[in-house]
C-alpha cells in the first residue's frame, strides 16, 4: 500500500548546490525487490529504497498503476530520434500522470542504454557521482549497470567520479530520484543497461562537464555504429533528467514560475536556466540534470525541445495552497526543426516609456541616492522577463553600460536597475554627477534568450550579440558594436574574447562557450562615435 503523502510531507529546497529533503517518511523497503537481489553472487546491487511509498512494491499493482496512467495520455506525433527527456520524480500518485507523458513518448522505442541523471536530496558532496555498483533493483527486476561506460565516463573530467555517494541509503533515507524512473523505463522500453548519475554540485560548470563528456562519448559510439553500417537508432542511448519544478508556492504562483523555466527550455537557453536556478529566481530540484541533458542532446544534434505536459500537485492531488510543479519534456533530433524563438517587439510608446523610466532611475540614484520606485505596469510586454542593457553616452562618448544577460525580473524593472547601475557602478568610469544628467543620452538593448553557438557560421554580424564564457571568465558585446566598429565576424569573436579577459583566440578553445542573441535596440540618439559597451 502506498503511504499517503501531502505536499507538506515533501519539503525540498535548493542549497549548497544540491537539493535537500527534510522531514520525509518512507515506507519499508520493497521485500519483493530485495528478494530478487539475494541470488546475486559477489554483486553490489542497490536495493529498492522507496518501493511501497513512492510507488507500489507489488509488481502487478505497479504495472497496473503505470498502465492506467499511460492510458490517459493522448496520442502524440513525434518525428525523429528522442535523445533526451525530462521526467518528474515525486510519488507516482502526484507526478505519475505527468511522467506518463514522457514515457508514452518512449513506448515502442528501443534503447540499449539509459543514462539517468538526478539530484541529491539527502547527501552533500561536490562532484558528479556515477554509481560504481552492479545494478539497481526494482519490483520489476534488476537493472544492470553499464560498468564499462561508467568507468570511461568517470575519466572524462575531474568533476565526475565513480562512487556510491548519492546512491546508497543514508541514515536520513534512500535517494528516490533515479529509482522512481526505472520501473517506467523497464515497462515501456524493455531491457537496457543503466548508467545512474547523481549530481552533488548543481553549478553550470558541473552540468557542462557532464553534458560535454556524455556527448563526446555518445558521438564516438554513433560514429562507430555508422562506420559499421548500423542504423542511427541501433544501440541508441537515452538520457533521462529526473527533476520536479517549483516547490510549495500557491497554484497560480507555481504556474508563473514554472512556465518561465519551460519557456527557456523550449528556447534552449540553458545558461539562463542554470543562473536563475542558482539565484532561486526559478526552481527545479533537478535543474543541473536538465541543463546537462540539454547540453549533451544539443551537441548530439537535437534541434527540437518540446514540453509534452505541465501540471502540478494541485492538479493531481487537489490542494492548491502549496504545490509542486512537474513537466514532461523531450529533446528530439528531427530532420528539420529549430529551437523556439518567440518573436518580440516593442511599440513606440513602450520604447518611450522605458527611456523615460531609465532617465528617472538615473536621476533618482544620482540626486536622491535612492532607487526609483515606478508604478507597476499593466503592459504585458513590459512585464515579460527579459535581459537588457542600458548604455549611457555623453556627447557621443560612452559614459556607462551595464545589463542583465538573463531574464530574472520584469523588463521595466530590469531597465530601472541597469540604468541606475550604468550611472553609478560601471567600474570603467566614475559615478555620474548631477551636473552631467542633462547631457546624457540613453540607449536600451532588450535581449532575446541566449543560444549556444555550435558553428561560428551561425553568427551574423549586425544581427547577433555574443557572450563568451570560459569558467569564471565572461564577456559580452551587443549586436550594434561590430557594426559601429566595422568589424567582421573574426574580429567580433576576438574582441568578445578580449572583453572576457581572455586571449583573442579563446573562441577556438573547446572549453569556451559562445552564446549568441539578438536585441531590440532603441534610444534617444544613435551616435556613430559610441564606444563598445
Amino acid at each position: 500500500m502506498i503511504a499517503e503523502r501531502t505536499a507538506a510531507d515533501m519539503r525540498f529546497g535548493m542549497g549548497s548546490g544540491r537539493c535537500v529533503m527534510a522531514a520525509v517518511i518512507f515506507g519499508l523497503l520493497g521485500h519483493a525487490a530485495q528478494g530478487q537481489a539475494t541470488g546475486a553472487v559477489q554483486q553490489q546491487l542497490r536495493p529498492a529504497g522507496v518501493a511501497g511509498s513512492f510507488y507500489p512494491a507489488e509488481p502487478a499493482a505497479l504495472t497496473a498503476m503505470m498502465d492506467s496512467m499511460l492510458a490517459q495520455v493522448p496520442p502524440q506525433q513525434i518525428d525523429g530520434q528522442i535523445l533526451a527527456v525530462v521526467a518528474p520524480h515525486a510519488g507516482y500518485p502526484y507526478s505519475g500522470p505527468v511522467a506518463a507523458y514522457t514515457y508514452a513518448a518512449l513506448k515502442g522505442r528501443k534503447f540499449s542504454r539509459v543514462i539517468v541523471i538526478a539530484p541529491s536530496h539527502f547527501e552533500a558532496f561536490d562532484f558528479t557521482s556515477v554509481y560504481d555498483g552492479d545494478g539497481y533493483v526494482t519490483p520489476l527486476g534488476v537493472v544492470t549497470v553499464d560498468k564499462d561506460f561508467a568507468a570511461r565516463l568517470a575519466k572524462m573530467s575531474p568533476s565526475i567520479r565513480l562512487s556510491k555517494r548519492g546512491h546508497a541509503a543514508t541514515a536520513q533515507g534512500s535517494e528516490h530520484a533515479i529509482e522512481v524512473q526505472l520501473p517506467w523505463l523497464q515497462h515501456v522500453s524493455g531491457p537496457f543497461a543503466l548508467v545512474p548519475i547523481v549530481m552533488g554540485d548543481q553549478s553550470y560548470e558541473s552540468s557542462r562537464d557532464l553534458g560535454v563528456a556524455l556527448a563526446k562519448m555518445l558521438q564516438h559510439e554513433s560514429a562507430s555504429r555508422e562506420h559499421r553500417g548500423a542504423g542511427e537508432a541501433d544501440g541508441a542511448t537515452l538520457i533521462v533528467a529526473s527533476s520536479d519544478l517549483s516547490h510549495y508556492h500557491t497554484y497560480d504562483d507555481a504556474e508563473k514560475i514554472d512556465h518561465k523555466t519551460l519557456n527557456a527550455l523550449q528556447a534552449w537557453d540553458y545558461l539562463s536556466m542554470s543562473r536563475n536556478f542558482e539565484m532561486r529566481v526559478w526552481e527545479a530540484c533537478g535543474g543541473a540534470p536538465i541543463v546537462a541533458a540539454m547540453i549533451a542532446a544539443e551537441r548530439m544534434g537535437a534541434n527540437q525541445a518540446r514540453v509534452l505536459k505541465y501540471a502540478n500537485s494541485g492538479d493531481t492531488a487537489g490542494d492548491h495552497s502549496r504545490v509542486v510543479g512537474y513537466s514532461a519534456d523531450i529533446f528530439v533530433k528531427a530532420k528539420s526543426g529549430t529551437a523556439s524563438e518567440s518573436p518580440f517587439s516593442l511599440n513606440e510608446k513602450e520604447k518611450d516609456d522605458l527611456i523615460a523610466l531609465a532617465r528617472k532611475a538615473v536621476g533618482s540614484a544620482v540626486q536622491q541616492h535612492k532607487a526609483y520606485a515606478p508604478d507597476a505596469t499593466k503592459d504585458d510586454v513590459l512585464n515579460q522577463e527579459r535581459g537588457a542593457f542600458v548604455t549611457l553616452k555623453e556627447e557621443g562618448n560612452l559614459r556607462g553600460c551595464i545589463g542583465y544577460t538573463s531574464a530574472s525580473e520584469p523588463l521595466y524593472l530590469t531597465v530601472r536597475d541597469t540604468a541606475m547601475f550604468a550611472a553609478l557602478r560601471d567600474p570603467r568610469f566614475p559615478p555620474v554627477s548631477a551636473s552631467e544628467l542633462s547631457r546624457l543620452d540613453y540607449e536600451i538593448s532588450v535581449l532575446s534568450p541566449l543560444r549556444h553557438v555550435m558553428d561560428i557560421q551561425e553568427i551574423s554580424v549586425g544581427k547577433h550579440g555574443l557572450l563568451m564564457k570560459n569558467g569564471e571568465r565572461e564577456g559580452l558585446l551587443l549586436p550594434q558594436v561590430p557594426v559601429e566598429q566595422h568589424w567582421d565576424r573574426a574580429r567580433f569573436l576576438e574582441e568578445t574574447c578580449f572583453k572576457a579577459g581572455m586571449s583573442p583566440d579563446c573562441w577556438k578553445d573547446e572549453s569556451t562557450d559562445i552564446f549568441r542573441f539578438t536585441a531590440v535596440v532603441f534610444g534617444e540618439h544613435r551616435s556613430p562615435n559610441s564606444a563598445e559597451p
Side-chain angles (χ1 to χ4, degrees), residues 200-218:
D201 177 7
Q202 294 220 0
S203 67
Y204 175 75
E205 287 71 24
S206 289
S207 296
R208 186 190 189 278
D209 285 349
L210 178 57
V212 171
L214 289 173
K216 284 182 177 180
M217 293 180 67
L218 296 176

Side-chain angles (χ1 to χ4, degrees), residues 56 79 170 225 323 409 426 428 455:
D79 297 319
T170 69
R225 289 198 306 271
V323 306
E409 61 182 4
D426 189 326
R428 298 168 294 181
D455 183 341

Side-chain angles (χ1 to χ4, degrees), residues 401-438:
C401 180
I402 285 182
Y404 294 162
T405 57
S406 300
S408 59
E409 61 182 4
L411 175 58
Y412 78 101
L413 293 179
T414 294
V415 168
R416 185 271 307 270
D417 291 349
T418 55
M420 178 174 62
F421 296 153
L424 300 180
R425 299 189 185 180
D426 189 326
R428 298 168 294 181
F429 304 97
V432 168
S433 65
S435 63
E436 295 177 276
L437 291 175
S438 63

Side-chain angles (χ1 to χ4, degrees), residues 185-372:
L185 289 162
Q186 289 171 295
H187 190 49
V188 303
S189 297
F192 61 90
L194 174 67
V195 182
I197 302 173
V198 176
M199 299 187 71
D201 177 7
Q202 294 220 0
S203 67
Y204 175 75
E205 287 71 24
S206 289
S207 296
R208 186 190 189 278
D209 285 349
L210 178 57
V212 171
L214 289 173
K216 284 182 177 180
M217 293 180 67
L218 296 176
Q219 284 173 316
H220 178 74
E221 289 186 351
S222 179
S224 297
R225 289 198 306 271
E226 192 173 305
H227 180 72
R228 298 194 309 268
E232 184 175 43
D234 182 29
T237 294
L238 173 72
I239 299 173
V240 177
S242 180
S243 181
D244 296 338
L245 297 178
S246 66
H247 285 70
Y248 309 121
H249 301 279
T250 65
Y251 186 97
D252 291 342
D253 286 346
E255 285 213 324
K256 290 176 184 177
I257 295 169
D258 291 341
H259 280 98
K260 293 170 187 176
T261 298
L262 297 178
N263 287 340
L265 181 146
Q266 291 180 102
W268 287 90
D269 188 0
Y270 48 74
L271 180 60
S272 293
M273 288 173 67
S274 182
R275 286 174 165 169
N276 284 337
F277 292 151
E278 185 174 355
M279 294 187 297
R280 300 188 66 180
V281 178
W282 301 344
E283 298 176 19
C285 189
I290 294 174
V291 172
M294 292 178 71
I295 291 172
E298 178 184 58
R299 289 170 179 257
M300 292 188 294
N303 51 15
Q304 289 183 1
R306 290 177 56 182
V307 177
L308 300 179
K309 180 68 174 178
Y310 169 78
N312 60 52
S313 58
D315 300 303
T316 57
D319 180 4
H320 284 207
S321 62
R322 281 166 54 83
V323 306
V324 178
Y326 313 121
S327 70
D329 318 299
I330 59 172
F331 303 97
V332 181
K333 182 179 181 180
K335 291 183 179 178
S336 62
T338 58
S340 171
E341 295 189 16
S342 301
F344 177 80
S345 63
L346 293 161
N347 61 38
E348 291 306 311
K349 181 180 184 306
E350 290 163 341
K351 293 177 181 179
D352 290 343
D353 287 347
L354 289 175
I355 291 290
L357 175 60
R359 185 177 287 281
K360 290 177 181 177
V362 171
S364 178
V366 171
Q367 293 179 311
Q368 302 174 40
H369 307 290
K370 66 178 185 179
Y372 176 64

Side-chain angles (χ1 to χ4, degrees), residues 298 451-460 464 466 489 493 507 514 516:
E298 178 184 58
R451 186 70 201 271
H452 184 253
V453 174
M454 301 299 296
D455 183 341
I456 63 168
Q457 299 302 317
E458 299 172 18
I459 301 168
S460 175
H464 293 127
L466 294 180
R489 183 189 291 121
L493 287 161
W507 60 273
I514 307 172
R516 59 175 170 83

